[in-house]
Amino acid sequence: MAGSERTADPVPAHVAIIMDGNGRWAKKRHRPRLFGHKAGVDSVRAVVEAARESGVNHLTLYAFSTENWNRPGAEVKGLMALLKTYLQAELANMKKNNIRLGCFGQKERLPEDVRRVMDEVIGDTANCSGMRLNLALSYGSRTEIIGAVQEIAQKCASGQLDAESINDQVMSDHLYSAGQPDPDLMIRTGGEKRLSNFLLWQLSYAEIYFTETMWPDFRKEQFLEALYSFASRQRRYGRTGEQMTKAE
Ligand code: IPE
Ligand code: IPE
Ligand code: MG
């Protein structure tokens, strides 16, 4: 197989993905948008497996944004139904593969039945010590940051926290991603080159990988391609290339 000699080393500890392009993928096939979302669920399965097999410890998938609530009601309903069936169908598999599920976002805005299944899967996989799978659902980064700032401000007002001691760590500890490392690699499928309100704080030093591939066509092979790209990059964190090679 072409490229099989390439190595995906180092492997990113945390990969975040904006799964975009389901609607256009369906449109090209003269099918309804939901047909694209359904095919997208198969990509989710394939990518979760590929990430786990590759040794990725944290995978965050942007499944539904706060802005996506503005889509036509039927599409939102269809997406929620798909999410519920996905979670129900995957629970056994997650447990078997030691995957721990988490949710980034306004869980309280999800329909009651979806939230119930979600909580059940989160509870049932809480002791899994393998890969962390975070679903960003009704997620918006600005809302997340505002929530963190409000909590921190309340702690300051009540004397629990000293304003002077607020630093990167304190902010990170008040986000949905508390306790998890920042993403090393952010992938966006579907050709758009924007962040769409995704992990604005956490992505500050992430490597970014944009691909024209629509999400339903993004499977194991395409995921590995992104890992190869990541492995070939030099992360300099403001230093010079020479400083980095000396440090190795
Ligand atoms: C991503 O695909 C899935 C969600 C946002 C829920 P889109 O539905 O945005 O697909 P396009 O961008 O219209 O092709
Ligand atoms: C971003 O995709 C959100 C998800 C993938 C869930 P969108 O398709 O909603 O993004 P915009 O609106 O084109 O920026
Ligand atoms: Mg889109």
Side-chain angles (χ1 to χ4, degrees), residues 12-196:
H14 187 168
V15 178
I17 309 183
I18 300 177
M19 310 184 289
D20 197 19
N22 295 349
R24 281 163 286 159
W25 183 90
K27 192 170 178 197
K28 206 173 144 197
R29 286 159 180 77
H30 310 286
R31 302 294 297 268
R33 293 179 61 84
L34 216 52
F35 179 71
H37 295 316
K38 277 188 192 144
V41 175
D42 294 332
S43 292
V44 170
R45 289 202 178 91
V47 167
V48 168
E49 190 175 297
R52 188 181 56 78
E53 287 171 357
S54 305
V56 169
N57 293 325
H58 305 258
L59 179 67
T60 300
L61 301 177
Y62 203 3
F64 194 86
S65 71
T66 45
E67 290 75 16
N68 289 149
W69 289 114
N70 298 321
R71 291 197 177 188
E75 182 172 347
V76 171
K77 225 171 149 187
L79 279 165
M80 292 299 149
L82 272 181
L83 173 65
K84 186 176 163 187
T85 17
Y86 167 77
L87 290 170
Q88 285 169 329
E90 286 307 296
L91 175 60
N93 209 19
M94 284 188 211
K95 287 213 291 212
K96 186 179 117 216
N97 292 313
N98 205 18
I99 295 173
R100 180 174 166 190
L101 185 78
C103 176
F104 290 0
Q106 308 161 310
K107 231 180 357 169
E108 67 286 353
R109 274 184 87 179
L110 301 175
E112 164 75 31
D113 57 330
V114 177
R115 202 184 339 143
R116 223 182 19 245
V117 176
M118 184 81 172
D119 282 336
E120 199 180 304
V121 180
I122 290 176
D124 284 359
T125 60
N127 292 323
C128 293
S129 55
M131 188 172 81
R132 298 278 297 259
L133 172 63
N134 308 303
L135 294 183
L137 277 173
S138 189
Y139 176 84
S141 187
R142 287 192 167 187
T143 306
E144 177 186 35
I145 291 171
I146 290 166
V149 170
Q150 284 173 340
E151 254 187 68
I152 293 170
Q154 277 154 6
K155 285 184 184 171
C156 288
S158 68
Q160 238 181 299
L161 194 69
D162 178 8
E164 306 284 306
S165 65
I166 299 169
N167 56 18
D168 282 25
Q169 190 60 49
V170 171
M171 266 304 288
S172 297
D173 288 346
H174 289 82
L175 299 172
Y176 294 122
S177 50
Q180 300 192 52
D182 286 341
D184 303 288
L185 171 66
M186 197 286 281
I187 300 170
R188 182 172 190 144
T189 62
E192 309 295 358
K193 293 175 183 66
R194 54 178 172 255
L195 289 177
S196 303

